[in-house]
Each structure stands twice: as C-alpha cells, then as structure tokens.
Amino acid sequence: MSQDLRGVLTALSTPFGQDEAIDVATLRRVVDRSVDAGVDGVVAAGSTGEVGALSSDERLLLIDTVIEHTNGRVPVIAQTGATSTAEAIRLSKAAERSGADVLMLITPFYEPLSVAETVAYIKDVAGAVDLPVMLYNIPAVTGVNLDPATVRSLAEDVPTIRYIKDSSANWEQALQLIHHHRDVIGTFIGWDAYIFSALVEGAAGVMAGTANVVPEEIVTVARRIAEGDLTGAREQWNHVYPVIDALLSVPFIPSVKAGLGLQGIPAGSPRRPTADLNAEDFARLERALSCLKNAAALKDAAALKQTIG
C-alpha cells in the first residue's frame, strides 16, 4: 500500500481563555510550535484537544483555524467522529470542505456499541466523504476494541480507510497491525510511551499528545530511527522519556497544558470539571523538563568545546 502519511503527528491541545472560550491566538502558537519543530502532521479536535468538552460549532472553529494557520505546511488530520452517525457525517463533510487532508473517526462513546454497530457507523461515515480516513481505536473510552481482523476487513471493504490510530495500549495488537496488516493500512500508535518501540518496529508513525510539549525531541527520535541511527535514537529517547512519563503518569489533558505553559505557551486550564494539575504533579513535570533542558545545554556545551578545540 502506498503510504502518504507517515512520521510524527501532534495531537494538538486546545487552548482556552479564562472564559473557557477557544483562545485562537494561542492555538496558532501551539500549531507553530509543532510545525516549526518538524512534525509531519497535526491533529485538530482529538482527545488531547478535549473534544468531549467542545460543541460541534467549536470543533469546526478549531478545525478551520488549524487548517487556515497551517496553510499547507503539514497535513491536517481532523477528528470528526461523533456520538451519532448523522453528526459525524456533518462534521466530516464540513472538514472536507474546509480543506482537511485526512479525517479521523472515533467511534461513539456515549453508549458502547457492538462491533457490528461500530463497523456500520464507520462505513456510513467513511462512505460519505472522499478524503482518506483514519480509524481511531481507543477502547478505554469507546468500550469497543477494533481488533486487527476487523481493521483489515474495514480497510479492504472501504478504499478511503487508509490509516488507524491505535490507542489500545495493547502491544501485541499493535505489533499485529504493524507487521501483518501494513499491506492494507498504515498504523499510527497513539500510546505515547510506545513511541520509540513503535517506530523501531516499523509503524507508519506515532500520534502524540506529548508532542505539544517536546515536539523537537520526539521528531529527533523519529528521524534518527528512519536514518538507521538506533544508538542516537535511543540516546535521545532516554533523555525525553522521563518527560513523557511525567506527562502520562498524571491526568493527561491538564499535564499537557501545564507542559505547554512551562515551555512558554500558556494554554489555559482544561474545561471544567477537569482541574489543573495539583502542585505535586506540576513540580514533578517541572523537574523533568528542567532535567531535559540541562541535558541539552550540557550537550551543546560539549559540542562547542569540541568545535573550538
């Protein structure tokens, strides 16, 4: 299968102002942070972007803003899944008109569906648009797992289904998708702790919420793996993993927003009732980012010393 979408995709955080409205100006800064760091695509209205707390109109504003500001620099993946088939089709058609490159479909998460109901939903929505479609498998939220056999059947039956984001946290399932089904679908791993392993195993890419906070570092890991420099990639991964671990070990949406703030982009608080990080978790994240910055500074100093002899 010809792969058009590969590499590191940032699942964008959605910045809010004090009134909890989308902060469009800061959203543009969040986009630029990832694009300037060399990511291969950005994702609007995903789980990291608090999609469950957004109205349909807000989702379309978010998607339109990301498409407009990205301006073709990297592909934009618009997450247009919804709790009803009709709404998912409406959002998908609107994102297609706005210029999205790929649509990502989470399955309805209000009432867990059977596999048969999920397959029918996916086929109906994917069949209503002409854009490539990425399935979004996150069974902890939706209550249904898209197993590799079902994924393959969908990709064979619906030509526009080209990719899957697998956030099942099931490594055996991820390996099956990567190794046994790459001829029909490109697998993006959505569990950030698996970034290094997934890329080494040959996944099409990774979709990482943590890339809001450390995009350049994750891109460096991916590039070194692609170049065959596994030693350099592992060295970089060893530096960045403590930050990723700190982000994943606490509530994820507030940790990403706290991380953005620590990196100079205040993204506001999550929408209530989700709360900001507590002081202890914030301090842990702050220490992890400080260690990463110190390691980079020491490396830069060593390189400079070697250059000047």
Side-chain angles (χ1 to χ4, degrees):
M1 186 186 73
S2 174
Q3 295 285 346
D4 297 323
L5 192 65
R6 298 191 67 85
V8 176
L9 311 177
T10 300
L12 296 169
S13 177
T14 301
F16 297 125
Q18 290 186 345
D19 59 356
E20 294 195 356
I22 294 173
D23 183 345
V24 171
T26 301
L27 175 60
R28 293 189 177 106
R29 293 182 63 195
V30 172
V31 170
D32 286 339
R33 175 172 177 78
S34 280
V35 174
D36 292 347
V39 303
D40 301 288
V42 293
V43 184
S47 300
T48 307
E50 300 181 63
V51 64
L54 300 174
S55 70
S56 293
D57 287 344
E58 287 176 319
R59 290 176 68 179
L60 293 178
L61 169 63
L62 189 67
I63 290 167
D64 288 349
T65 300
V66 172
I67 292 170
E68 177 270 326
H69 188 68
T70 303
N71 194 28
R73 290 179 288 169
V74 297
V76 174
I77 298 90
Q79 200 290 103
T80 55
T83 53
S84 75
T85 300
E87 181 64 2
I89 289 174
R90 187 180 81 83
L91 290 168
S92 298
K93 287 184 174 180
E96 184 176 35
R97 288 193 299 269
S98 293
D101 297 283
V102 176
L103 301 178
M104 183 168 72
L105 296 180
I106 192 171
T107 54
F109 47 84
Y110 180 74
E111 176 68 23
L113 304 180
S114 67
V115 172
E117 289 170 323
T118 302
V119 167
Y121 160 86
I122 290 169
K123 286 185 175 181
D124 285 344
V125 180
V129 293
D130 295 322
L131 288 180
V133 170
M134 176 182 289
L135 307 177
Y136 184 7
N137 188 38
I138 183 167
V141 172
T142 64
V144 60
N145 180 47
L146 295 173
D147 64 274
T150 299
V151 171
R152 183 177 190 93
S153 177
L154 278 165
E156 289 176 335
D157 290 347
V158 184
T160 55
I161 295 177
R162 299 277 307 282
Y163 312 103
I164 182 170
K165 176 191 179 184
D166 186 69
S167 295
S168 67
N170 182 328
W171 185 235
E172 181 179 1
Q173 177 167 295
L175 288 175
Q176 290 174 3
L177 287 167
I178 293 167
H179 290 286
H180 299 325
H181 304 291
R182 69 175 72 201
D183 59 319
V184 295
I185 199 157
T187 297
F188 286 79
I189 298 301
W191 204 260
D192 295 40
Y194 293 168
I195 287 172
F196 179 84
S197 301
L199 293 172
V200 169
E201 289 289 346
V206 294
M207 188 182 295
T210 57
N212 288 280
V213 182
V214 283
E216 185 175 354
E217 291 81 357
I218 293 175
V219 166
T220 298
V221 171
R223 297 292 183 267
R224 288 178 178 174
I225 291 172
E227 293 164 0
D229 179 13
L230 293 185
T231 299
R234 181 171 291 281
E235 178 185 12
Q236 177 72 3
W237 180 245
N238 288 340
H239 284 310
V240 73
Y241 177 74
V243 175
I244 292 175
D245 184 49
L247 289 163
L248 294 174
S249 299
V250 296
F252 189 62
I253 287 170
S255 74
V256 168
K257 290 199 161 182
L260 277 166
L262 287 166
Q263 298 288 49
I265 303 181
S269 297
R271 275 211 170 144
R272 293 174 295 173
T274 304
D276 289 317
L277 287 189
N278 62 42
E280 181 181 351
D281 292 336
F282 183 88
R284 179 187 175 193
L285 177 58
E286 189 174 30
R287 288 193 299 272
L289 281 168
S290 178
C291 288
L292 180 64
K293 291 174 183 176
N294 289 339
L298 287 171
K299 186 172 183 180
D300 289 345
L304 177 62
K305 182 176 180 181
Q306 184 177 16
T307 299
I308 65 178

